[in-house]
Every structure is written in C-alpha cells, then in structure tokens.
Amino acid sequence: MLFSIFFPLSKQTKHPNLAWEWIKYGAVLLELISLSFFTVDRSTYLQSLLSTSVNFVDLASLQRVLTPYISFVSVGLLAYLILLIAFLLIVAVLYPVLIRKQPWIVRLIRLLLELTVTVLLIPFLNLAISQFDCIRDSSNTFFFRGTDLHCFGSDPIPGAVGLAMSICFLATLFFILVLYYLLIYQHNPKYGGFFSTPTFQFQLLQAILLYGTVFAMRMLINWPFWRFLVTVGVSAFLVLWVLVQQPYYHFMGNFLTILRWTIFGCIRAFLELAYLIGGFITTASASTIQLIITVVCAVVGAGCSVGLSILFFRLLSNRTRRKWLLTDDGMPLADPDHPSRADLPKMKNFKRVEPSVRFIQQKKFKSYDYLSYADLIYTTALIRHKTKAELHFHYANFLTHFRKNHVKAQSVYRTARMSNPSWPLRFQLFCQTKEVSSRGGVGNEMANAQFQLQMSKAEEMHETAKNAMRDFFSNLTAPHPKLSVIPTLLHLIVENEAKARKIYEDQLNTHPQSTRLLRQYASLLLDIYDDEDMTDIIIQRADQIEEDSTATLPTATGGTDPQAALQPIDPKAEQDEKASRMSKASGASGASGTKLKKKKKKKGNALVTELGSGGSGNDLKSQKRTICACLVTFHFLMILALVMALIVFISLASTYSTDLSTLRRMTRLAEYAGRTSTYALMFFIQQYYYGFVYQEPADKKSSALMSDEAVRDGLKATSAFLTSVLTEIFDLTSFTEPWLSRDVDCYSFVFDDSSDNAVKAKVTEERMDPVTLTTALNALAQKSSEMGESITTPIHVEGMTYYLVTYPTFAPDYMYLLANSQQPIMNGLKRAIFGYMDETSASADQLLWIYLVVLVGTGGVIASAMMFVYFYFTRKMMVTRKKALIDLLEVPKPKLQSVIRRLISTSDETTMTGNTVTFDDISESEHNEAVDEQLSETTDHLEMDENTQIPNTTSESAQPLGLSSFVTPSDYRPKPLLGIGSVSQVNSIPGQTFVPTNQFDMKRNSLLSTNQFDFKRNSLLSLNQSTPQSIFSTNQSMPQSVFSVSQSTPQSIFSTNQSMPQSVFSMNQSTPQSVQSPGTNPNDLQSPPTQSFADNLSPEQSIFATQFPGQTTSIFQNQPGMMGGVGLDSPLPQFQMGMNMEQQKKMEAKTKKQEEKKRKAEEEEKKRKLEEKQKREQEAKRKKDEEAALLASGQASEAQKGYIRDVIKDEKWVEKIEKDVQNLTQMHLNLPSPLSTGIVVNIMLSMGLGLVILISLVVVAIVMVNQFNRSNVNITMSGMRTSILSLIEFLNLRILFPDSHLVPFDDKIDFSRSTNPVCTGFQFLSDDVDELYPLLVKSSAYFQQLHSATHYGDSEYAFANDSYYDNVPTTRLSTKENEATLLQNGNCFMEPSEEEFCSNESRIFNFNFPMYGLSTLISQMRLYIWMMKFELHEVDVNGTSLYTELHHIPRYLGSAIRYDLRSGVNRLTNEILATSQQDVTTTVTLLTVGTVVGSFLFIMALIIFTWQWLNRVMMNNEESVKLHQLLPVSHEERSMELLPSMQIGLPALDQGRMKIIDAALSVLESLDKHEKPESLNNHLDYLMITTTQIFTEEETEMEKRDYEHLEDHTREHILIRQRLSFVIDEIRRNHLPTTKIAIRSLTRLFDRHFIDDDVQFGHTIPQHEKMMVGHDQEHFEEAVQEVGELGEPGQDAT
C-alpha cells in the first residue's frame, strides 16, 4: 500500500536540468549561511542587527513580525502538509489516468514534495519553532522572544492551539522527511545528476541532522557551547562521512556536499568566537565594535572554508581514485583481451564493489574496454555474494544505463527482488519490475504509458510543423506574399519541430530499440531539414534492430534466464557481434555510405550520440549561456550592491546613533559644569551663614537652599560625572581640537592669608592661565570632589555649635568654581559641543551620500550594463532576423516550390501508408492489389512522349521572390509513391526498358527503406540533366553499369551501383529491348535480378554470383525469407552446402584481396585530394598575384580600368533594375520585426522594477536621514537649556546672599571669547543686587529664546544674541512631542532616576499639582523673575529686607529649577535623543526590509521578466537560424559557374572566361565577408580589368579568324562592360536592396553571352583544335591550367 502511494514519486529523471540542480543547491546553501548568522543577545533576547538582516533569508527574523499571527501561521503550515498528503493520495489512486492525460499533475506533486524537503525545509522549521520560541521573566511569565507579547496571552486557547498545531506540523514534516529520503532518491549512475546516489542512507542522515541543527540554533540560546558543539560537530561529521564513504556516484556531488557543510561549519565556528568576544565589550560603542568583529570573523570563516574546501577537494580526489580497481596508471587489473576473474582481488565486502567501478563516470574511461572490465568486476563479485540484493541492484543499474542491456537488467532486478532486499530497496525494485504488456517488451508501467503519450504528442507536433512549413513556403511563392504571417508560421515550425525533436530524442534514451520511434525521427529530419545522410543512418539502425529482433527469442517465461545475470558479457564476442552489425549496416548502405559526413557527437545517450543532431545550435547555446551568465551576474551584483550599501549604511548609522548619545552626554557635561558654581555658592552659604547647621523653613516647604548633605552629594556627583566623561572623551569623539587647544582663560585667585578664617579671606590677586578644556574640567571635577569631601571643624558660639571648613585651599577652590564654571569653561564647552554637533551633521550627510554613492553608483553602473545587455542582444536578434528574412527573399521561387512539392509528396505517402499498419493488418491479396494499384499509378505518372524535353535550370532561370525576372520551367520532379513498407518501382517510357526492383518488403513495415524506394530524394528515379548518355541513374558515382540491358542498346538506361568492379548480373545477349510489354502483368512476369537483389547479397553471395552468373537466380530464388528471389535476412544453407571448403577459401582470399584493393584505392584517393588542394592553393596564389599586378599602379583612371558608361542606350535594362530595387526596398521595409510587445514589456518591467527599487531605497534614505539629520541640533539646543537654568539658579542665590567677602580684585574683567548674552565677565559675582537682577532677567530671556528655538524653530522670538545658537538653524518639533512635554497634564516631570521625589507634592514651593506641562513652570518662573524687581527692595518697619530665603519668589525659583524644571528639560532632551535614535533604527529597518524585498524582486525579475525576455530573444534567434536551415539553398553551390554548355573548346579563351567567373565570385565573396571598402573596390576593379582584358583577347582572336559577327560581338562586349560598370556603381552605393539587385544582375550578366554568342563563335572553330567538353571536365581543366602556364592568353592552344 505504501509502495503504491509513493510510486508516482519514483521517476528516475534522465538528464535532469542542471540549472534546477544548481538553483536548489544554491538556495539551500544560502539558507545555511543565513542560519549560521543567527544569534540572540542573552541579556535582551534580541537578535543583533546583522542577524536580523541576514536571517530574513531563512525566515528566522520573521518571528517579531509574525508574532501576533503566529498561531495562524502554524495552522497554515499544518494545513499545507495535510493538503500535500491528500494530493499525493489522489495522484496515487488516479495515477494510470493522470500519467496519460494530465502528466503535469504528477510532475506538480513531485515538485511540491521535492521543494518541501529541500528548499523549504529550513524556512518551515524556523516558522514552526517561532510558535514556542518563548522566554520566561522573573515573574514566571512567558513572552515571545524579542517582544512584549505573552506566549499564551490573555486568552490561552489560541496559543495552546497554535502550539499543538506547530508540534503536529513538526512531527508530520519529520515523518514525511524520513519516508521521502527512505524511498525517493536518484539511483541513475549515469544520467541522475550530481546528487544521484546508490543508497538512501546519507541523504536520510543529512536531512535528520539538518532538522536537528535548526533546532539547536533556535533553542540552545542560553547554551552557546553546546550550540557550537552541535552545529560545528554536525558539519564536521558530515564532511568526514562524505570523505570516507563518498555516498554519491559523481565526484561533483560529493564535493558540493563537502563544500556546503564546510562553509556552514567554518562561518558558524568563527561567528561563535565573534559572539564570545563581543560579550566582553561594554563600551558605549559596543554595538559597532561587535558588528565589526562579527563581519571580520564571518569573512575569516569564509576564507577558512575556501582553504579547507581546496584541501578536501584534493583528499576526496585521492581517496576516490584509491577506491577504483585500477592500477596507478589507470589500467585495468585484468587483461582486456583475455579477461579473467583470477586477476581481480577477492571482494569480501560487497559494499566496496560499486565505488570500485566509479571510474566509468570519468569521460576518459567511458570506453568499451573499461565498461567490459566493470562488467567483469560486477559478475566476479556476484559469484561471491549471490544473495546480496543491493549488489544485484547496482549491477542492474550498470546494465541499464551503461551497457544498455535492458533485458538482462530486468532479469537482474528480479533476482535482486528474490534475494530478501531491505525495505527501501524493495520499493526501488518494485518500481523497476512492475511489468505490463507493451510492444517494447520489458518496461514498467510508467515508462510505457509515457512513451505512448509522448509519441502521440510528437507525431501531432511533427504534422503541425510540416503543415506550417508547407503553408510557409506556399505563402512565399504566391504572387503577393503576406510578409506579416511569416513570423507566425516560422514560430509554428520551429516550436513544434523542437518539441517533437526533443520528445523523440528523450524517448530514444529509454526506448532505443523502438523502430517506430526511429522511423518517425527519421521522417522528422527528412521533412523539415531534408537531411538525407542522417536519415540513412537512422533507417539502417531501424532495419538492423528488426533483423536482430527476429534472431533473439525470449524464454518460455517471457524473459531471459535470471542465472544468466551472473555471466559476464564476453568482450571478444560482443566486439565481433558489433563488428558484424556494423559490416551489415555499411553493406546495406552501399556506396552512398562512404559519402556520409561524420556528425559531431553530442552528450547524452549512445543512440542519440550516434544519430547526432539535425541542426547545430551550438552557437545559440553559447550565446544563451553568455546572456544568462551576464544577466545572472548583473542581477546578483545588483543584490550585492544593495547589501553592501545596506551594510555601509548600518555601520554609519550605528556610528551616528552613538554620536547622538555622545552629543547628549556633552550637553549634560555643560549642565553639570554650570551646576558646580551653584553647589559651591550653596556650600559657601551653608558655611558662612549657617555654619552647616541649616534649618529647614518652619512651613516644611521647599526652600531656595539645599541641605548640607544634598550639596555635598551634588558636588560629588558632579565630580564623578565630569570625571567619567573626561576619561571617555577621546573614545567618544575624534574631534579633539576644542578639547586640547589652550584657549580656555581660567582664573586662579590669591587671597590674603592674614585672616585666620577662610571665609573672611580677601582676594588680593587674580591670575589668568590659558589651559585646555580638559584641564579646566579636570580641575573643576577635582575641586568639586575636594569640596564635597571636605572635613569641617566644630565651633561653639553662644551655646550653638557651628562647623567651619579647615582645609587650606577652600577659598581658592571656591573662587575657581564660582568664577570659571559659568564663563570660560562654559564658553569652551559650547565651542566643543557645537563643533561636535557640526561633526555629527557632517556624519549624517556623509552617511546619506556614501549610501547613495554605493547604491546609485554601483547600482547605476550595473543597471547600465544590464541595459546594454538587453539592448545589444535585442538589437542583435533584430539584425539576425532581418538578415535571415532578406536571405529568404533571395531564394529563387523554383527552389521554394521544390520544397512544397516534397512536403506534399510526403504527406500523400503518409496518407497512403498510415502510421500503424503492420503485416498482420492486411492480407496477401490486399497487399497484391495495393502493389498493382501503385505500380499502375507510377507508370501513368511517368509516361512521357519521346520528344518530351527535360528543361535545364541554370542561374538564369532563378527568379527571386517578388521580382519580375525571367523564369524558365523548374526541375521536373516525378511524384514519388510510397506503399505500405516499401513499394516496387516500375516506370514505363515508350521505346525504353524499365526494370522493376525487388518486390514489396512487408517485413519492415516501414515508412522508409534503404534498399527500395528512395524516400529522401522524392523521386523514383533521379535525373541527370548534364549527361546525354544516361537518362536515368540512381547513383552517378559508379564506373560501370551493374545491369546492362543489351549490347545493341546505344545507351545505358539504368546504372545502379557502380562501386563494383564488374557487372554482378548481366543479361543474355539475345534479350530484347522491351523486357516487359505494356499489357503484361508484373506479377506474372519473372523479373530479372535487380539492384535490391544485388545490394542485399552478402560478400560471399556477391562473389558466387560473379563467378556463376547463370546459376544465381536458381540458387537464390527458393531460399527461406526471400521475396521476389532476394533474401534479406535469412542465412543461405543451400548456398553454403553447395560449396566445398576449397571454394570457400578461394572466396575468402578473394574477399581479402578486394578489401586490400579498396584500401589502396582509398589511400590513392586521399593522395589525389591532397594534390588537388595544393593545386587550388597555388591557383589562388597565382590569381592573387595577378590581381595585385593589375592593381599595382593604383593611379589608373576608370577609363583605363575599363569602365564605360552611356555608350549604348540601355534604358529598359536600367529601368528594370531600378524597378527591382524599388520593389525589394519596399519588401525590406515591410519585413516583420521580431521586436514584439512582450520583449519590450519584459525589458521595461525588469529595468523599471530595478529602477523602482533603487528609487524607493533612495527616497527612503533621503527622507529618513533628513528626518533625523537635524536631531543633533534639537538635542544640543534642548540640552544646553539646563546650563542656563543653572545660571538662573546661581543668580537667584546670589541675589539672596550678596556676599561681599570673596570678590574678584578686578570685577571689570571681560572675556573676549565669550558669547554669553547675559554677561561677558565676572559681573555675576558682583555684590550689588541692582547689578545682579538685570543679569537674572537676561538669563530668563536667554532661556526663553533657547526654549522657543528648540520647540518652535527659528523665529524672531528665538533670537538669543548668542552666535553659537543664532547661527544654527532649528526646526519645529512635532506637535505630538510639544504637547507631550509642554502641555500634557501631569504630576511629575522628573527623570526616571529621580522619580522618588514625585511623591512629594510640596517639592515646588507654592505650586499646586497637577500641572499642564513644563510651560506652566516656565511661565511662572519668568513671571516671578519679573515680579522680583518690585519686591527686591521691600523692607519692614525696622528696615530689614523682606526679600530673604523665606520669600516665595526665590523659594519657587530654586525648587522649581532644582526639581521638575531641570528634570523635565532633561527628560525632554532624552526623549528627543530616543526619538532620533529610533528614527535611525527605523531607517535601518526600512532599508533592510527594502533591501530584502528588493533582492527578492530582483530574483523574481530575473526568473520572470528576464527569463521571459531571454526565451523570446533566443526563440527568435533560433527561428532565424532554423530559417537559414530551412532554406533550400546549398552553401556549396557556386552562384556562377562556367557550365560545359558554355565552353567553346579553346583552352585559352575558356580559361579567360573562367577568370571572369572567378573575379566575379571574388566580388561576391568579399560582399559576403563584409570586407572593408578598400578591399571591395580592389575586387571590383579587378573584375572590370579582367573583363576588359579577356574581351579584348576574344576580339583579337575573332579578328585573327575573320569572324563574320565580330562587330555584333564587340557591341555585346561593350554593352556587358557598360552594364557591369552600372552594377559596380550600384554595389559601391552600399545600399542593401541596391546591392542585392546588383548581385543578382552580376550573377546573370555573362550567362547569355557565354551560352549564345561565344558558343556561336566556337562553332566556327575547327574540331581538331578543340578539347573535349563535358565528358572529361577534370582533364579539360588540367589542359586549361597547362595552357595558362605555358602560353599567353589568346595564343593558339593547338
């Protein structure tokens, strides 16, 4: 039952499509490489960016996309497998019907299953595993990896169903995988492709291990060591298995398997190392470094795989050779001439037998001797291992595919089945030995059913092609041909012929003994190509098969003896048998066999190799391979360009994202630098005013001051942050100039140390010291840290304990922090930050431009190359088609009509014969009636009057298509007749004797026969129009007549086989001329022996017939198997018994003597041909020298060269030429173009799709990069606001505590490099409140302007009077972003690290929550600053200022800035950064998806549009080539020739006219070769000069002989020269129609003059002065040559 289900999948493909094999191999290799890149970060459980991009190939990266629908995916996958199994069951049940009527359904199920277990296996596994690829968090909740979606969600039912479906799918897929690779595998050792294998073990093992490898890659995420061990270990194991076992027949299959797993293992091993190294990198740019390490390791792994592959190639090659049973020199261990099993080693392990004979896979060992030696090895092993079914199976495969012994192979298959085979092998034997009754004898059901189906298709296509060809040529011979239908008819011819031919040749591989197939194939070659030589070979093969089939009788069981399988094929006997068959075949072919050209062998079956091909097609195949290579290369280069551009973009985008983070850290650096002054001032106030015993306000609300502990923590945090940034600054940026230049004017202060209290010290001197920014920040961090960690000393005053700082540098450190942080250091930071911002902008621009250059540059070049390929080969196709159609128009109509007559005659013959008539279908009486009827039709058809003349067709009678040239009657071709099999041929012409050939041959049941009717030539008798002595002859190459009718007959009526040295049969001298009277019944008349009788005699019979002519008929008439007195196949026992041993020896000696004589004749013939070749070369050299001599002067005028014009009025001839030129020009313009809409559409779609892909990627890159390109500006502007908030906070405290103790010695210092619009010096350290308040107002405006520029872009309200900010163009943030931060209702805007303060709603003084975004805080801050001027100087009744630290304005300002305002701004800046980085990630994702989709579309464009374009172009090219082959024009024919009827007998004059012909032919050859104009002009001038010279010599000869028509003859010479001048002028115009008409005129220009005028002059020459003309042309040419060498032209040759 299971065998019947899988039987439809068991087809053993003959000559599999190697392109399909490479596509499958490449797809699986690409998926394995993609799988090797799979990795997951164990901390985030996300794939890396590179892994995400690459793993789209094997669908592993689709998990995040398909996670919401993953349950549906699992259900869909399982449904696919269920439908596939149901489909297979339906096909198995309906297989006998489907294989005959709908074979494409069977092919479809094979294709689907093959794709499922090969190309789709890894993607299917990845999709199924995604269903349960979950992780568990700390709360034991399962999430899909890389997402926040629960594996089972709120409703666990869909998740549970999806999980169950996924598990069922995986189990079902595994079951199908195991069954498929157990039962279905290619075991054809010769034609099974690269991956044909003798057993199933390795393919099954490889599939199971691949299945497990995918699971290991996906599920062993947390165990990298075991994942490495499984993946790399599996690769190493499979490579070693292939090296040791060599599971595939072909070396290439073994090596490709090693290459696949070597690449996967090496890349995976090095990537595991890369991931291990990347885990130790924790810097800010860790992702970039990890990406670089991954790429480098992948490249190193690829290089390592190449090196290992080369090593494995050599190891595999050496090990393969060591398995062969050959010597080191490649010679068999046994003597080929005397094979013996004793010479072979003992083969104890039967599994080593098949690998030991794999040397026959090599081309140099595919000879008869090595095949016989392999047969000996098998049979020797079978004697030792008679019960091993696997060995019998291998031997049967060898017999089937290498020895072509199908009968014996089936016997061995049955023996293997009886030898207890394994279960998978039993299935293979089940498929091989499933017998059905068929005409072909042994075969299986599938093969024979397909054979009948394919034959019916091929015959139908054959008939369609023939009818289309008849209509094609009928249209061309019409008075007004329809040129528009030419492409349609031509396509029908080529397409149907190609399909029929392919079916025939494919079926010959499986049915080489089918005579029906051979004869149909021969009929196709003859109908379409008129290939007589190849038809002879095929028909001889069919005849030989029929003869052999009568001598081979099967056993009683219907097959051969199974025990005969153990006997090796005797090489000597097989060679003798083969030689005997070849001898018979060559004897049957007769003398025509010696003329057959050797056909170039092609790859494939031995029979097809013998038969050759009807058309070469090699140039087309080479052109198709070139186009395919170019387009495939360009498409994959385009994909590579997309990938390279994406990799570059990913790398630069990652760098840009890191740069944004760095820029954000720099803005935080400015914030912390500004806060140091605030912390220092608070520290001073805590000491000076409160002695570090600050008491919070009684209302428990926020104050303007911070506690001592908070201040110290702030100082230490500031120091830590500054230190951390400074240690990484040179790793974060390469823009180091602002950080290392000594342009920060920091001030240090000298104090008066006379006071014992540090806080009461006075500044005595300030020193400006230019330092680098890093130095200044380091000092800032150091002093902040010292101040935060300072130790205080308690002091007791009035019962209160206070604390004072005792470290000696407190005052200088305090003044350093107070003075430098807000001015010189802040200025240096702004310069560095804005410089780095410009660098990031340049990076973004660079990112975009590099991507565009790589993408558009390389893509544009590749697209241009693709466009060039498209247009070049399309143009070449059009030119080729136009040339073919122009050549078609040049074919004379008589030749086109001859093709139509041939096709019509073969159609009539097919109608009479039928396709399936056999000997059993008709009775003997019906046969005789059919023969009589056809004989009567034949004689009626060929009856002629005695005076009937057979016209001769010369070059003058050839009428080109569509022109009004003169046409003479065409060649007379009698209509041939074909009976059932072969028909007797009888013709009757009054006064002549016609001898019928041998009778109807019923045995062959053939459409063609080599011994009877000449089917190929379409005539019962071929006409010899040039020899008056012989009217009819069948073979002109014979020196004597085989049948001579009577001595009194003046001419030989029939000459048949002239290869014999004497007449085999001669008739009695008294035989009357009329052997058969018109009223005589041919069946009653005993005809004399004929040609068929002689041709079918063996050499011994021929010799006997020669020696005993009188006894021949009586001896042979009564032999078994004779028809009409001639034996075709049966042996001649009477003949052998009638001869004694002595006579036999004499005949053998005579036969050897004849063979020796024949050999010498062949050697002499070769010698003669070599001499003729040398003579031709000498003649060519001589002619070339003459031409050079004639043109040596080069300065001769046209008149001197012989050109004459308008001497004689010749208007009619000129008008006729011009009319022909017009007609031909119009026809050329009306020629149909092969450029169809499909070709144009495919080019446009292919290139348009590529252009759309490039434009889409470019647009996405430009739009997205421009979207985040200005994000660095937003980050900078937003981040710098906190530094201004620090300044506002500082001024707020300074106004509250206008300390006058520590002030600069000179408070008028101005910083020239400062761009701060608030102040440019130390004005913010003033102790005058009236001076400090305006600075606070300016700071508020400064913040508002910067705030407006950040959120709303450039405007008049965003002008801050700061050159750094004002020179930077800003853009408005999105409404969503502005609403979320500025207007959103909320209770807390603190950063995540400070969210613990959110619970304290009193953190901002006098403010009620919730608040509507930061706008509320900012507006209230600015309002309080404005109100401060009214309340700043308020005093109570005692004159005490009411504006203290308890006042609501400073308390609000300090608390709002310290908490939500600063944190909100930082939060907003961080969101801008996150949004920008998300934009970068989105851009990378979009470009990655675009690249993947674009690559897929490029591949689809290659498969769909490009392939369709290629098929259309190649089809048009093939049609053009086929059109040339269909033209009834022989390239060996000379367009101009001096016929015997044109010769006058004087060698000197005839030699001159031959020179004219040769010169004209040189012109034609030069035009055909498209030589340069200089060379062509030389040939034309040489023709004119030669014509003038020869005509002058003729006129001189005529004048010497007093020729009476000299004047008229001279006038004809002038007219010819005038016309020749006109023709030459037309040729030089280089206009194609004009040139064609000129060539036609040139080929007919001299004909009438040579035939009429010159021959008329020849009649006046005495006979004794002439040479014989027409009878001995070779001697005549030699005489002419001698005259040319001994005498001058024009001299008397007598």
Side-chain angles (χ1 to χ4, degrees), residues 591 593-595 1154-1170:
T594 61
K595 294 183 178 181
Q1154 290 178 349
E1155 292 177 353
E1156 181 67 20
K1157 186 176 180 181
K1158 184 177 179 180
R1159 184 182 62 79
K1160 291 182 179 180
E1162 291 177 352
E1163 292 178 355
E1164 292 177 357
E1165 179 68 15
K1166 291 181 180 179
K1167 185 177 180 181
R1168 186 183 66 81
K1169 289 182 178 180
L1170 181 60

Side-chain angles (χ1 to χ4, degrees), residues 1487-1614:
L1487 292 180
T1488 302
V1489 173
T1491 301
V1492 173
V1493 173
S1495 301
F1496 176 77
L1497 292 179
F1498 271 119
I1499 295 176
M1500 290 297 101
L1502 176 64
I1503 295 175
I1504 300 175
F1505 305 127
T1506 303
W1507 190 253
Q1508 286 186 4
W1509 170 84
L1510 178 60
N1511 286 336
R1512 291 175 184 269
V1513 169
M1514 295 312 300
M1515 175 58 71
N1516 281 296
N1517 288 338
E1518 184 180 0
E1519 291 173 0
S1520 301
V1521 173
K1522 295 287 186 182
L1523 179 57
H1524 276 288
Q1525 296 175 356
L1526 295 176
L1527 296 181
V1529 177
S1530 174
H1531 297 286
E1532 298 179 357
E1533 295 180 357
R1534 300 180 65 179
S1535 56
M1536 298 180 67
E1537 187 174 2
L1538 188 66
L1539 301 175
S1541 59
M1542 299 179 180
Q1543 300 172 11
I1544 62 178
L1546 286 180
L1549 295 183
D1550 287 338
Q1551 180 200 25
R1553 294 189 298 166
M1554 287 178 63
K1555 285 185 177 180
I1556 295 176
I1557 297 296
D1558 291 340
L1561 290 175
S1562 298
V1563 172
L1564 298 179
E1565 182 179 1
S1566 177
L1567 289 170
D1568 288 339
K1569 293 181 178 180
H1570 301 285
E1571 294 183 0
K1572 295 181 179 180
E1574 297 80 5
S1575 178
L1576 177 61
N1577 289 332
N1578 290 337
H1579 288 294
L1580 293 172
D1581 290 340
Y1582 177 72
L1583 173 61
M1584 194 71 224
I1585 293 171
T1586 303
T1587 303
T1588 304
Q1589 179 184 0
I1590 299 305
F1591 281 2
T1592 303
E1593 293 173 357
E1594 286 185 4
E1595 293 168 3
T1596 303
E1597 182 68 22
M1598 292 176 184
E1599 184 178 359
K1600 184 171 66 174
R1601 296 180 181 273
D1602 296 329
Y1603 182 52
E1604 60 179 343
H1605 300 293
L1606 175 60
E1607 184 177 353
D1608 295 337
H1609 203 98
T1610 302
R1611 186 179 182 279
E1612 285 295 325
H1613 284 177
I1614 295 173

Side-chain angles (χ1 to χ4, degrees), residues 260 614 705 907 1073 1265 1519:
R260 172 193 295 167
L705 294 175
S907 299
Q1073 292 183 358
V1265 170
E1519 291 173 0

Side-chain angles (χ1 to χ4, degrees), residues 283-284 662 665 669 719-733 739 773-775 777-778 781:
T283 60
T662 303
R665 296 194 71 184
L669 191 66
S719 174
F721 183 81
L722 293 176
T723 303
S724 65
V725 174
L726 290 174
T727 54
E728 300 176 359
I729 192 64
F730 296 109
D731 295 331
L732 297 175
T733 178
W739 302 91
L773 182 59
T774 55
T775 302
L777 289 172
N778 276 322

Side-chain angles (χ1 to χ4, degrees), residues 1614-1651:
I1614 295 173
L1615 182 61
I1616 291 173
R1617 288 170 56 196
Q1618 178 176 308
R1619 291 181 176 180
L1620 180 59
S1621 301
F1622 180 83
V1623 168
I1624 291 175
D1625 292 340
E1626 294 296 297
I1627 291 175
R1628 285 174 174 167
R1629 286 178 58 188
N1630 196 23
H1631 180 243
L1632 184 60
T1634 304
T1635 303
K1636 291 293 184 181
I1637 298 301
I1639 291 174
R1640 295 176 189 173
S1641 303
L1642 178 61
T1643 56
R1644 303 192 298 267
L1645 186 60
F1646 301 95
D1647 289 356
R1648 192 195 61 79
H1649 180 70
F1650 285 172
I1651 292 175

